[in-house]
Amino acid sequence: MQKELEQKIDNIKYDIETLEMEKIGLIRRLRFLKEKLIINFIILILIFLFLIFTIGYEPYEPYSIAFTTVLKPLYFLLTGVYIFFLILKPIWEIYLNCNLEAGRKAAVKYGVRSISENIEMCDTKISALNSILRDYEESIMNVDSMVKDE
């Protein structure tokens, strides 16, 4: 009986470690989304700086004239695509994965399992496994005390 309890304790400890690693991975994934958004904002600022220096700096410079007549529509189209796919989409993903109640409702509405929900599920499972682990460890202590008494 003691061997079975020890085996169950080892299995529970393994499950707890697995859930903790999964939780750490989810937290890193959420942090990666935020870092990616920050990088994309910096690139967007550089794009706008390029626009200021080419159009607003010297209007009669040949590069500025070429840019305003030929490349300006293409520039705005590509900037719009960039803003939509690399700025607004990560903001939407962060919103769906946040702890806000509205974000969670939107995630449920669109059928997305949010990262914050998965983190909470990991915490719940870890606490449940820890309570089971405590019960098993107490059972082993009781078995050991009964063996010593005999």
Side-chain angles (χ1 to χ4, degrees), residues 18-148:
T18 303
L19 287 171
E20 287 175 349
M21 286 190 295
E22 181 181 346
K23 180 182 169 185
I24 290 170
L26 290 169
I27 291 170
R28 285 182 181 166
R29 192 168 131 202
L30 189 60
R31 189 179 317 132
F32 174 73
L33 281 174
K34 292 175 184 177
E35 289 172 356
K36 189 168 86 170
L37 183 64
I38 290 169
I39 290 169
N40 288 335
F41 265 120
I42 291 170
I43 292 171
L44 184 65
I45 289 170
L46 293 175
I47 289 171
F48 284 137
L49 284 175
F50 177 74
L51 177 67
I52 289 170
F53 286 128
T54 53
I55 292 177
Y57 185 64
E58 288 258 347
Y60 299 111
E61 178 119 5
Y63 293 118
S64 182
I65 293 170
F67 183 78
T68 55
T69 57
V70 177
L71 299 176
K72 188 176 177 181
L74 180 65
Y75 175 80
F76 285 126
L77 177 72
L78 292 176
T79 304
V81 169
Y82 182 84
I83 289 172
F84 181 75
F85 284 109
L86 297 176
I87 302 290
L88 295 178
K89 190 175 176 186
I91 289 174
W92 179 250
E93 288 177 12
I94 289 173
Y95 175 70
L96 289 178
N97 291 313
C98 70
N99 280 331
L100 297 174
E101 183 179 341
R104 291 228 175 149
K105 286 181 181 178
V108 169
K109 181 180 176 183
Y110 292 108
V112 176
R113 296 248 340 183
S114 69
I115 293 174
S116 61
E117 182 182 344
N118 289 339
I119 290 171
E120 284 184 14
M121 292 297 289
C122 285
D123 285 337
T124 305
K125 289 177 184 176
I126 288 171
S127 64
L129 287 173
N130 278 330
S131 66
I132 293 170
L133 182 64
R134 258 183 259 115
D135 292 340
Y136 283 152
E137 287 175 345
E138 287 175 6
S139 299
I140 283 186
M141 289 173 151
N142 291 339
V143 169
D144 286 342
S145 67
M146 287 175 25
V147 169
K148 287 180 183 179

